[in-house]
Amino acid sequence: MSALLLSNLGVICTKCDFLNVVGAARCVTCGAPTGDAPAATAPSSGRPDTKAAPLADNPPPSTGSMAQPPGLKIKPSAAQPAAAKPESKPLPKISDPTPPAKPAPAPEPAQPAAAAQPAASASGPKFALNVIAGPARGQKFRVSTNGAQVGRSKGVVLFPDDPFVSPLHASVVVKDGRVTIRDEGSTSGVYVSIQGQETIPPDCYFATGLRLFRYAGALEPAPPFVPGRMVVYGAPVPPNQVHYHVEEILLGDRPGRAVVTAGPILTIGQSKCDLAYPGDDGMAPRHCELSPMPTGAMIRDLSGGLGTYVRVKGERQLKVGDRVRVGQQTLQLEAL
């Protein structure tokens, strides 16, 4: 094979058979020396005594991205400038793989108690007073969370045309879901219906139908007769027996009919009773009865829904469905 052909062929590695570039001293793949490769010589000039001049360095064209083979020295020429070294850039700093903990959210400021009070009271029970009998029948008055006042000229539940209602007659108080009514020193009083039966003290007022009564209690025994002492004339009272009496109260706080009895029961109604009122349509035939006791009396309602009312002394708790008499008006407590 001619020297010209050998000077243009690459060098084949004897270990991995990789074809290296012309004049490679080591294999690019495995790094083994390529000493057995033929040296590149110039063609002979015909003279036997003259040696071929070495060929000028002819480096292979640059492959761009291919690195320079080890052992091959390439001098940069003016036509082909040396490849600029890549500018070294600092490696990015590896952050901590654990993400930083998020700061805890600031606690919301607590609402003042004054702001929470309307919400609590708004969610509580609501009540109303419905007029079920009397000149103002059909009217309904809402009771606020602060209560309501009843009167002829003061308050929110007003009956300006009722002569039996005082300017400020009563107050309805709502507290902790409970309703109470308080007599504000009225002249005619406040009356509340009883449920079944109730114990009343002596000198207690109660109403049935259009009538007002007073349970006076036990009648005091007559003083013993003493010769020479003046005695007021009157009907005799049986001795050694306790008597109780009930009297009717007429318009203007005047006494009316009265019953004195030593029996165990005193009855009031339209007919066949100790105190009978046939012309009173607001009474049942046997409306109520009283059983005297040493400390008062037990009053029982037998009206079948017409109602028996006792006068409030101070204040009294109300339940839904209870009825209240104020002057000529009868009001019923309702839940909204």
Side-chain angles (χ1 to χ4, degrees):
M1 187 177 297
S2 64
L4 179 61
L5 182 60
L6 291 174
S7 62
N8 293 324
L9 291 178
V11 181
I12 298 176
C13 180
T14 58
K15 287 188 176 183
C16 63
D17 293 336
F18 181 76
L19 178 61
N20 295 277
V21 295
V22 178
R26 292 183 177 276
C27 178
V28 176
T29 304
C30 64
T34 58
D36 297 337
T41 58
S44 175
S45 59
R47 294 182 184 180
D49 55 350
T50 307
K51 294 183 179 178
L55 295 175
D57 293 335
N58 187 16
S62 175
T63 58
S65 63
M66 184 179 293
Q68 177 180 337
L72 181 62
K73 296 180 181 180
I74 301 177
K75 296 180 180 181
S77 59
Q80 183 179 1
K85 293 183 179 181
E87 184 178 354
S88 61
K89 297 180 179 180
L91 295 176
K93 185 178 180 181
I94 300 177
S95 60
D96 190 358
T98 304
K102 295 182 180 180
E108 297 181 359
Q111 295 183 356
Q117 184 68 22
S121 60
S123 61
K126 299 178 179 60
F127 303 96
L129 291 173
N130 185 19
V131 183
I132 60 174
R137 180 180 179 182
Q139 296 187 28
K140 181 178 287 189
F141 301 90
R142 185 184 183 91
V143 179
S144 68
T145 55
N146 298 325
Q149 290 182 325
V150 184
R152 185 151 49 98
S153 59
K154 297 180 182 180
V156 295
V157 183
L158 297 177
F159 303 106
D161 300 327
D162 195 332
F164 300 102
V165 177
S166 299
L168 178 59
H169 200 98
S171 295
V172 179
V173 181
V174 180
K175 185 177 181 181
D176 299 332
R178 295 182 299 178
V179 182
T180 58
I181 189 166
R182 181 174 61 244
D183 189 350
E184 298 291 353
S186 63
T187 302
S188 299
V190 179
Y191 297 82
V192 178
S193 60
I194 66 173
Q195 302 293 332
Q197 64 183 18
E198 186 172 320
T199 303
I200 58 176
D203 200 27
C204 178
Y205 289 79
F206 62 96
T208 60
L210 301 176
R211 309 288 171 172
L212 179 62
F213 303 92
R214 183 176 73 92
Y215 173 70
L219 185 67
E220 295 182 2
F225 176 74
V226 177
R229 180 181 297 178
M230 183 180 62
V231 179
V232 178
Y233 183 80
V237 178
N240 303 324
Q241 223 174 2
V242 179
H243 287 71
Y244 303 88
H245 70 285
V246 177
E247 63 179 357
E248 181 184 7
I249 304 300
L250 302 179
L251 185 64
D253 198 22
R254 297 173 298 167
R257 296 170 59 187
V259 174
V260 177
T261 179
I265 294 177
L266 186 146
T267 59
I268 302 174
Q270 276 189 340
S271 60
K272 298 180 180 180
C273 296
D274 296 318
L275 286 170
Y277 301 91
D280 194 336
D281 295 334
M283 278 193 182
R286 190 181 181 95
H287 197 100
C288 66
E289 63 184 21
L290 285 88
S291 299
M293 299 186 303
T295 58
M298 179 71 69
I299 184 171
R300 297 180 182 87
D301 178 33
L302 306 174
S303 64
L306 295 176
T308 300
Y309 300 80
V310 297
R311 186 169 183 172
V312 175
K313 288 189 175 181
E315 62 180 23
R316 180 186 176 109
Q317 184 175 346
L318 299 178
K319 301 184 296 296
V320 174
D322 284 351
R323 286 172 285 177
V324 180
R325 276 192 177 180
V326 176
Q328 295 176 309
Q329 322 299 324
T330 302
L331 302 90
Q332 187 171 25
L333 181 67
E334 298 179 353
L336 297 180

